[in-house]
Amino acid sequence: MSGENNLTRAQAWEESENVGRNASGNPTLGDVIAARFNRRDLLKGLLGVSAIAATVSPVALTASPNARAQSAPSFAFKEVTAGVDENHYVAEGYDADVLIRWGDPVLPGAPAFEPMNQTAKAQLGQLGYNNDYLGYFPMPGTANPSAHGLLAVNLEYTNEELMFPGIGRQDIKSANFDKMTKELADIEKAAHGGAVLEVKRENGKWRVVHGSKYARRIHADTPMEITGPAAGHDRMKTKADPPGRSVLGMLNNCAGGITPWGTWLSCEENFHGYFWGTLEDSHPEARNYKRFGVPDNWQVWGKWDERFDIVKEPNEANRFGWVVEIDPFDPNSVPKKRTALGRFKHEGAAGITNKDGRYVVYSGDDERFEYVYKFVTEARVDTQNPSANRDILDRGILYVAKYNADGSGEWMPLVHGSGPLNAVNGFDSQADILIECRRAGDLLGATKMDRPEDVEANPLTQKIYVMLTNNTRRKADQVDPANPRADNAFGHIIEMNTADGDHASTRFTWEILVRCGDPSIEKVGATFSSATTKDGWFGMPDNCAVDHMGRLWIATDGNSRSATGRADGVWAMETEGNLRGTGKLFYRCPEGAELCGPEFTPDDETLFVAIQHPGESPDPKDRGIFEKPATRWPDFKADMPPRPSIVAITKRGGGKIGV
Ligand code: FEO
Ligand code: CA
Ligand code: CA
């Protein structure tokens, strides 16, 4: 069961899903740091700001920032006031326009949204629930690539208590899915997956092009291909798919990435919650499933669709937790689960073309005490012929990160036969390693992080930013320089530097850019710059975006009245010069919502954001349900529930965002 009555779904999932299943004996660097500092210093927390900052990453501290990024303008906008209420807010002089909402038609012929008359058939043609990652693809041949393109949208998960009348939370123990019907479960399955929208900006305003030949809805039963080293492996075979090479649907697709060859990478995150049943401890997959928390019984789908019942179909859960590559320009293309990039709770898959032409994809595994990964292709990206890159993600090396106490770091290859990754430890092939990335990382001694979410490289500076959202389960004796706070309620951001700008290198240096939380409360230990206002600090960094001037923008998940006295939103974050570490609030979500998918058009004149689960509340008995949501944004009509929506932010009168 997912949690208790007095938690929001997101909080309950965190309590349940992110229980910190990493039982490996990897040093949390408590061991490592003990070699440098005694335990009493650690407990005093004094290593906090000054000592670690001064001892970590001398290389990074002396490196001169890239000249182009240094010349990027500081953020110029009037800061939004932090707080929480029913509405959303953007900096003065900007418009934040709703582009499309849950239930609005995507496919030609789809019906208008009727909250009291929902059907799976209607939902399959409409925008599904909880829009997350957004990827913008300029339309080839268009006069203005920043005014006409495709928007790829992840549809992560469903909130039955906000979607459907009269049922409340069904995943909690007391409800036990009593009010869930097959009909409702089918609507939920239809509301998952993704969408492709053709979007156009005319007279300054964005709209979805209806009847577009590119329009697409991907859902929990969309046929997909499994490619790469795990395709066809025995552990990928099911009754419905004896060859182990095709699967229906993608689930819990959180963040993602876009490739230079024009495809959308969509990442399966909390796949474990969709499975139910009980697997015997003696089952060959028991150790694997335990490490990922499968099954977690968040959904009742297994009652009617036996592939989600691990007793009836014990291999199905091995077919989720992958990065899915999709060609957004061909609505008939078969999405491909690229197993070479590993199976874990992928937050995102932001990539960068390395200086030698290989493609490098960074990805965090979003759970407490999990790892940061990167994948380096074997082949170089063919910039002249995009279709030559079609299967480039099937071959390459996956690495897991180790953050050393001295500010250096190592990328350790997850390659069959290297070190302990062999048959003695239950890895008979590369497929075994990819299916059980976490256990492979355990054996290599990867660093247990505070819930790694987005990991994104800045192409102008080659620096890499890692969002670590929080980890309240880290104990004082588990802190390490890369995860320096016990009971880390507000998260932090790590900045990594490649060796010589080489993203394929196995070496890096790192330092903490900022520890999040309220800097006015000493015991929080936040390290925003002193230029940060009372509105400029935030907690729980989750997604991020780098604009085309090389500036970092942070999206958050988990700020609330009780946690930080503020709603989630988008904060600008200075990374260079003497303002480094300054946050500045640009956009604020309506109550209960999380900010996802920040995405700039190539000209930086539009920032698309995805507003997920508006109206959630920590007290679902009274608020945060269909009948009584915490907000009715964006429609504010008594007969309309709140709706997850995509918002286009532009400057009134034109111009780049934040300049
Ligand atoms: Fe789907 Fe880690 O947020
Ligand atoms: Ca996220
Ligand atoms: Ca999150």
Side-chain angles (χ1 to χ4, degrees), residues 14 132 156 254 269-270 347 366 451 453 469 540-543 556-558 594 596 612:
E14 191 178 313
D132 197 303
E156 191 184 23
C254 191
E269 192 192 28
N270 292 307
E347 174 72 19
D366 181 8
R451 290 187 61 200
E453 304 244 26
T469 205
M540 305 84 163
D542 185 336
N543 296 136
T556 65
D557 168 20
E594 155 185 1
C596 302
Q612 205 183 53

Side-chain angles (χ1 to χ4, degrees), residues 356-553:
D356 65 6
R358 287 183 285 173
Y359 198 60
V360 180
V361 178
Y362 291 98
S363 196
D365 183 354
D366 181 8
E367 190 166 322
R368 294 182 180 102
F369 301 110
E370 291 305 335
Y371 307 137
V372 173
Y373 298 81
K374 77 169 177 184
F375 176 79
V376 182
T377 59
E378 187 178 291
R380 289 168 170 72
V381 176
D382 186 337
T383 52
Q384 302 305 310
N385 179 15
S387 65
N389 305 305
R390 199 174 47 211
D391 294 318
I392 197 174
L393 296 178
D394 282 341
R395 293 175 70 90
I397 298 178
L398 183 66
Y399 297 85
V400 66
K402 183 178 197 171
Y403 294 79
N404 297 321
D406 64 357
S408 67
E410 298 160 50
W411 288 110
M412 303 179 293
L414 294 166
V415 173
H416 184 247
S418 77
L421 306 182
N422 53 34
V424 175
N425 289 308
F427 297 109
D428 289 334
S429 66
Q430 184 64 17
D432 286 326
I433 290 168
L434 296 170
I435 290 169
E436 293 187 77
C437 280
R438 285 184 171 182
R439 207 165 61 76
D442 298 345
L443 289 167
L444 293 178
T447 304
K448 299 172 171 180
M449 309 299 286
D450 286 345
R451 290 187 61 200
E453 304 244 26
D454 263 2
V455 182
E456 191 130 353
N458 180 335
L460 298 185
T461 62
Q462 309 304 325
K463 292 176 182 176
I464 303 140
Y465 294 92
V466 185
M467 306 296 120
L468 295 153
T469 205
N470 60 22
N471 182 357
T472 51
R473 300 230 169 128
R474 189 175 290 274
K475 303 283 192 292
D477 63 356
Q478 294 175 306
V479 300
D480 61 54
N483 300 276
R485 285 186 291 186
D487 188 20
N488 181 8
F490 306 107
H492 57 288
I493 299 172
I494 285 182
E495 181 182 82
M496 296 163 64
N497 267 279
T498 54
D500 298 325
D502 180 6
H503 291 272
S505 171
T506 56
R507 300 274 161 189
F508 62 88
T509 58
W510 65 271
E511 62 184 296
I512 290 179
L513 172 64
V514 65
R515 299 184 199 184
C516 304
D518 185 347
S520 73
I521 302 172
E522 198 175 354
K523 69 173 185 184
V524 167
T527 61
F528 287 95
S529 87
S530 58
T532 305
T533 72
K534 66 173 179 40
D535 304 309
W537 63 267
F538 54 83
M540 305 84 163
D542 185 336
N543 296 136
C544 66
V546 176
D547 67 24
H548 298 82
M549 293 167 274
R551 307 182 308 171
L552 184 63
W553 300 76

Side-chain angles (χ1 to χ4, degrees), residues 124-146:
L124 287 171
Q126 301 166 333
L127 190 70
Y129 207 75
N130 275 342
N131 33 220
D132 197 303
Y133 176 78
L134 304 174
Y136 179 83
F137 297 83
M139 189 64 71
T142 186
N144 180 355
S146 294

